[in-house]
Amino acid sequence: MILFTLKEHQSGPSEFIEMKINLKDDYEAQIAVLNCNDTVLIAESTSENNLVLELATRYWLSCGMYYPEYSKIDPNLLKVTCPKIVLLKKDDPSVDLFSQIGHVVFDEKEFREETFQMVYFPTLFGETND
């Protein structure tokens, strides 16, 4: 997983931080101490999607899912309203379903750029197409 966040400085502008989160470490402690309003957690593999959604729900984070399979994602986590970016292939049969719960992109470079932008503008990505 990768975590993007802003670190506030008393003496000047905020600093953008990108952290690689190792699942062998105490990742929950690392996440819990952050200012969650400015934090995005993204999956780097399909196996991390449910964990990323669970952590985003628990800590009020924005999140990015990496080529998720709709049938393998916990439906209760999908229902939670939080800003989500979803990386899919253009021919994925779940594009419409994921479009209802988040912002869908089709390119890894765009996925990274969009999740990066959620640090600064999370509300732009929190709207769903109801």
Side-chain angles (χ1 to χ4, degrees):
M1 290 183 293
I2 296 176
L3 186 137
F4 297 136
T5 193
L6 290 176
K7 181 177 180 182
E8 301 290 331
H9 293 290
Q10 294 177 357
S11 61
S14 302
E15 173 187 5
F16 181 82
I17 295 175
E18 178 179 336
M19 262 188 337
K20 173 96 168 134
I21 303 290
N22 188 330
L23 297 180
K24 295 177 184 176
D25 295 337
D26 187 1
Y27 55 86
E28 288 204 54
Q30 292 175 309
I31 293 168
V33 299
L34 299 170
N35 175 2
C36 295
N37 293 332
D38 301 328
T39 302
V40 180
L41 187 62
I42 63 171
E44 292 183 285
S45 69
T46 57
S47 64
E48 294 176 343
N49 287 318
N50 275 311
L51 178 59
V52 163
L53 273 173
E54 179 185 333
L55 293 169
T57 300
R58 187 176 312 145
Y59 295 103
W60 296 96
L61 305 173
S62 300
C63 66
M65 294 187 291
Y66 188 86
Y67 296 113
E69 292 181 48
Y70 196 82
S71 62
K72 293 185 179 181
I73 301 296
D74 182 335
N76 293 321
L77 294 174
L78 285 175
K79 292 178 190 176
V80 175
T81 302
C82 70
K84 299 174 189 81
I85 301 287
V86 184
L87 175 61
L88 295 173
K89 295 180 180 174
K90 288 184 180 183
D91 62 350
D92 190 302
S94 302
V95 169
D96 289 338
L97 293 170
F98 279 112
S99 293
Q100 294 175 24
I101 59 101
H103 179 69
V104 174
V105 297
F106 302 106
D107 174 86
E108 291 200 34
K109 181 180 177 196
E110 183 181 11
F111 177 65
R112 188 157 176 90
E113 290 170 358
E114 297 284 330
T115 53
F116 174 88
Q117 287 299 315
M118 280 197 303
V119 172
Y120 299 102
F121 309 106
T123 56
L124 292 179
F125 302 96
E127 298 175 0
T128 58
N129 301 331
D130 292 332

